[in-house]
Amino acid sequence: MPESTSRRSVLAAMAAMTVAAAGGSVTVAAPADAAPDAPLPLPLPALRIPRTDMGVEQQPDSAIEWLQDAKLGMFIHWGVYSGPAKGEWWMHSAPITPADYRKYVTDATDEQFTADAYDPTAWARLAKDFGARYVTLTTRHHDGFALWPLNHPNSWNSGQAPLGRDFVGEYVAAVRAAGLKVGLYYSPIDWRYPGYYDVRGTHCAPNPWNYTTDPAHKENARVMKTEVYQSVKELVTRYGPIDDLWWDGGWLAEQGSDADAAFFWEPGRYRDPANEWPVDAAYGETDGDGRPLGLMGMVRKHQPGIVATSRSGWTGDYASDEGPSVPSGAIRTGLVEKVFTVDGTWGYNSGATVMSYGTAMDILVNCWVRNMTAMVNVGPDRHGTVSDAQAGLLRRIGTFMASCGRSVYGTRGGPWHPVDGQYGFTCKDDTFYVHLLPGYSGTSFTIPPLGDARIVRAFDVRTGAALAYSAGGDGRVTINGIDRTAHAEDSVVGVTLDRSVQPADIAAGRTATADSEESSKGNTAARAVDGSTSTRWCANDGGTGHWLKVDLGSPRSLTGTRIAWELDGVNYRYSIEGSVDNRRWNTLADDTATTSTSQVQVALFRSRARYVRVTVTGLPSGAWASIRTFEVYDRPFSTDLGS
């Protein structure tokens, strides 16, 4: 951790400049009443601002909050590949022709996918034992086998003989009954179609089955695309509310990125009627005006609250981090989900060795302290049974979650950045948690400066026992007597403060007014203080001089503001003023000459006011005065999550 620094020296250095931090321009005015050696303040959480891509806007924070709070999910890779038990890419890596691969379903061998022990209730019970808050099932992987009776003439699915089952329907019912969030994985890739490697029929990409260039492949690719549209339409209309759609494999011919293939799949809001690979009306969907919907347009039409990954080619509501690497570095901004499997493959592999508990915990804890959620994969066998080794690992993690889950569920990473291999933090309300990793030695820990907060209690999270602590002359507090042996993989210490860990926005929910509002579109002043970055206040014309004002209810001692403008990369020039009586105004921050184009702008100052007003003094051509969120603070705060 850094050496103690004089609060006044820091403020004096900051007062003379505008610096970039937390994605925004930070304009600082030195408070006149700062104590000479006041401790460095606690940092604010980063803002997540939904972006629009291909006509589809990312879900607001309110829609993704459940996933941010869940912190732990269970992934299930299960399908025909569970029969040969050599992993989910076996058809590709062997390689096996589509005709021969079908025999894993039809032929009675010791590699037949029988699903005779399929019991999704037992899967849901394992997820609960694990401590998961959501579950995601592979409804169709790259081999093209659908785990439900898919109504498409070229489909290969579980409704056909000899299985005759709707595995997805049974799964959704069981997971929902267990009180868990329901996720469906779907892959547009389908190795059964030569057109997947040759969408124009003019240049076939290398592939394991030696498909070669053929003009007929263009129509083959189009049929494949229609099956994808029919599949997705059924998944989002047959099974009630679905919480998470886990796209996988938007790329074409296993080349380039998912976004590179958007011209083919059309994953955004609308399809182009002139697209080279049209989707028949029977398989596609339209909006109320008859416009053909793209994949996410169709999904949002039927599941408006669903969250989705980025792997369709659309940007996604959250990012994915795949594989067993241990997260390192800073706290992640936005929402990132780590996904990893407990053995070497995602689908069942009879020869795989399940990872150790210590390895799994190292990945998980390093996710949580970086504000990531994690989804851990198991691969049931051809009968539908999760192996004892996989289940045993998950249940051991569940034991930790039962005793220390309060330091994980519903928390956010921080308030300080973690230190790789040593420790990290999570926080919620008035309590933060110190997660000590095996690389940290010793039974005491000195926490970073707490700003204006004071410790009420320090405790061992696993046992609830109080821990002794002592204050140093530099404003830091050292916690002593920490048990590092009972759970060396993550020794968790809780610290409760006399106020919230992170300063709260005191403008949220207050009365806001403006001189001009784009009321016809609902972009009123109240939208700037509703706590959401997906809504906004906008003036009713493109002129300058428009202002937004918030009434805090009574005079408050203020420490600064944070503004999220409508657009990134735009030079909004402005001033911030404060007033006690709504008549006489004092300038709190002057950014009338700023050249910053950052979407988030932070101003630090010290003043007393009941009313705070931001006036837009300058705009580039084509931009309007428009603010997504206007935050006001009455506690010292920082935008730097220092360790």
Side-chain angles (χ1 to χ4, degrees):
M1 288 180 286
E3 296 296 323
S4 176
T5 305
S6 164
R7 172 67 173 157
R8 180 168 291 282
S9 66
V10 170
L11 288 171
M14 294 174 69
M17 61 183 180
T18 297
V19 297
S25 168
V26 184
T27 303
V28 182
D33 57 347
D37 294 301
L40 295 174
L42 288 165
L44 299 179
L47 287 174
R48 172 186 175 269
I49 301 174
R51 295 184 294 115
T52 298
D53 181 44
M54 301 182 187
V56 181
E57 186 175 66
Q58 292 176 314
Q59 293 284 20
D61 287 351
S62 58
I64 69 165
E65 187 174 34
W66 72 264
L67 186 55
Q68 288 183 304
D69 288 345
K71 289 295 184 289
L72 189 62
M74 188 172 86
F75 214 171
I76 304 171
H77 274 65
W78 188 61
V80 175
Y81 45 81
S82 304
K86 296 179 177 69
E88 73 290 348
W89 274 64
W90 179 239
M91 178 182 174
H92 187 283
S93 59
I96 302 171
T97 65
D100 286 341
Y101 193 73
R102 292 176 73 94
K103 296 176 182 179
Y104 287 123
V105 175
T106 59
D107 292 10
T109 69
D110 59 3
E111 292 184 329
Q112 183 184 18
F113 177 66
T114 61
D116 52 299
Y118 175 62
D119 181 5
T121 299
W123 289 358
R125 188 181 310 118
L126 174 61
K128 297 277 281 189
D129 292 346
F130 173 41
R133 295 292 173 87
Y134 64 105
V135 185
T136 299
L137 171 67
T138 51
T139 67
R140 192 186 86 159
H141 205 264
H142 309 333
D143 59 8
F145 183 75
L147 293 180
W148 79 98
L150 172 57
N151 183 27
H152 186 276
N154 205 44
S155 72
W156 181 36
N157 64 76
S158 65
Q160 299 164 347
L163 292 168
R165 300 277 293 275
D166 183 353
F167 297 121
V168 172
E170 295 176 49
Y171 154 82
V172 170
V175 171
R176 192 175 288 139
L180 300 167
K181 295 287 187 180
V182 177
L184 301 180
Y185 164 111
Y186 181 80
S187 170
I189 290 176
D190 196 328
W191 292 324
R192 299 176 301 140
Y193 287 89
Y196 170 70
Y197 293 93
D198 189 17
V199 295
R200 287 196 167 92
T202 58
H203 182 72
C204 192
N207 62 87
W209 302 278
N210 296 317
Y211 301 138
T212 57
T213 302
D214 188 332
H217 287 168
K218 184 170 185 178
E219 175 60 15
N220 182 260
R222 191 192 71 83
V223 174
M224 174 182 68
K225 180 178 176 180
T226 67
E227 184 175 341
V228 168
Y229 272 76
Q230 180 65 19
S231 298
V232 174
K233 179 168 65 174
E234 292 184 9
L235 290 173
V236 298
T237 59
R238 282 191 182 179
Y239 301 110
I242 304 299
D243 301 292
D244 186 13
L245 179 57
W246 216 96
W247 296 108
D248 186 24
W251 56 340
L252 280 174
E254 296 152 25
Q255 298 176 354
S257 68
D258 299 325
D260 290 338
F263 74 93
F264 176 78
W265 300 115
E266 299 184 278
R269 184 176 182 185
Y270 293 115
R271 284 185 283 118
D272 180 358
N275 186 270
E276 294 181 60
W277 302 269
V279 176
D280 305 290
Y283 307 122
E285 285 265 6
T286 60
D287 68 3
D289 296 325
R291 289 175 293 182
L293 293 170
L295 288 173
M296 280 306 302
M298 186 165 56
V299 169
R300 288 281 185 88
K301 173 182 177 179
H302 296 289
Q303 302 279 346
I306 200 169
V307 297
T309 64
S310 61
R311 297 187 178 196
S312 68
W314 175 67
T315 192
D317 294 304
Y318 60 92
S320 295
D321 180 348
E322 179 180 326
S325 62
V326 177
S328 61
I331 291 171
R332 306 302 192 256
T333 57
L335 176 59
V336 180
E337 178 188 58
K338 178 72 170 180
V339 290
F340 66 97
T341 187
V342 298
D343 55 33
T345 59
W346 298 83
Y348 180 64
N349 188 331
S350 58
T353 299
V354 173
M355 71 169 50
S356 69
Y357 175 73
T359 298
M361 286 299 299
D362 196 23
I363 300 170
L364 290 172
V365 177
N366 277 287
C367 284
W368 297 328
V369 299
R370 288 171 175 81
N371 205 36
M372 302 164 70
T373 189
M375 187 162 61
V376 183
N377 178 75
V378 295
D381 66 16
R382 66 192 184 97
H383 306 289
T385 302
V386 178
S387 71
D388 289 343
Q390 293 183 68
L393 172 60
L394 265 59
R395 289 194 170 100
R396 186 174 178 189
I397 295 170
T399 299
F400 168 81
M401 297 302 288
S403 61
C404 296
R406 64 179 293 183
S407 69
V408 178
Y409 298 126
T411 65
R412 297 293 181 265
W416 306 281
H417 284 306
V419 174
D420 290 349
Q422 300 286 314
Y423 55 83
F425 309 89
T426 56
C427 63
K428 182 180 181 181
D429 300 330
D430 62 355
T431 302
F432 68 85
Y433 303 92
V434 185
H435 298 261
L436 299 179
L437 300 170
Y440 181 86
S441 60
T443 59
S444 63
F445 183 81
T446 300
I447 62 178
L450 295 173
D452 61 344
R454 297 292 179 268
I455 291 182
V456 172
R457 180 174 180 251
F459 58 97
D460 183 308
V461 171
R462 188 179 60 84
T463 66
L467 293 173
Y469 57 90
S470 57
D474 59 358
R476 299 172 184 267
V477 175
T478 298
I479 301 169
N480 301 300
I482 302 170
D483 182 356
R484 300 300 316 286
T485 60
H487 193 268
E489 294 80 4
D490 183 16
S491 305
V492 192
V493 173
V495 179
T496 300
L497 305 178
D498 64 349
R499 61 202 65 195
S500 64
V501 174
Q502 294 178 304
D505 168 25
I506 62 172
R510 294 291 185 177
T511 300
T513 54
D515 73 310
S516 176
E517 296 180 324
E518 194 180 30
S519 54
S520 63
K521 296 183 179 180
N523 297 325
T524 61
R527 294 300 186 95
V529 294
D530 62 2
S532 172
T533 55
S534 63
T535 59
R536 61 190 175 95
W537 159 73
C538 184
N540 202 36
D541 60 58
T544 59
H546 294 303
W547 53 262
L548 171 75
K549 179 176 65 178
V550 61
D551 178 359
L552 302 174
S554 61
R556 308 284 289 269
S557 294
L558 307 181
T559 56
T561 61
R562 180 164 66 170
I563 299 173
W565 298 98
E566 179 192 356
L567 302 173
D568 193 19
V570 173
N571 176 219
Y572 296 94
R573 298 183 293 279
Y574 62 99
S575 65
I576 298 173
E577 301 167 289
S579 173
V580 173
D581 56 11
N582 202 24
R583 295 191 304 273
R584 292 164 295 181
W585 293 87
N586 297 317
T587 298
L588 306 179
D590 184 352
D591 259 329
T592 55
T594 183
T595 58
S596 173
T597 59
S598 296
Q599 189 169 16
V600 178
Q601 305 274 331
V602 177
L604 303 182
F605 50 78
R606 288 292 182 94
S607 185
R608 184 170 180 79
R610 171 176 173 173
Y611 304 90
V612 183
R613 182 172 69 190
V614 55
T615 302
V616 179
T617 59
L619 290 165
S621 176
W624 288 28
S626 186
I627 291 176
R628 289 176 177 266
T629 187
F630 182 40
E631 300 175 341
V632 181
Y633 291 91
D634 64 350
R635 290 175 58 191
F637 68 90
S638 168
T639 55
D640 178 16
L641 283 69
S643 60

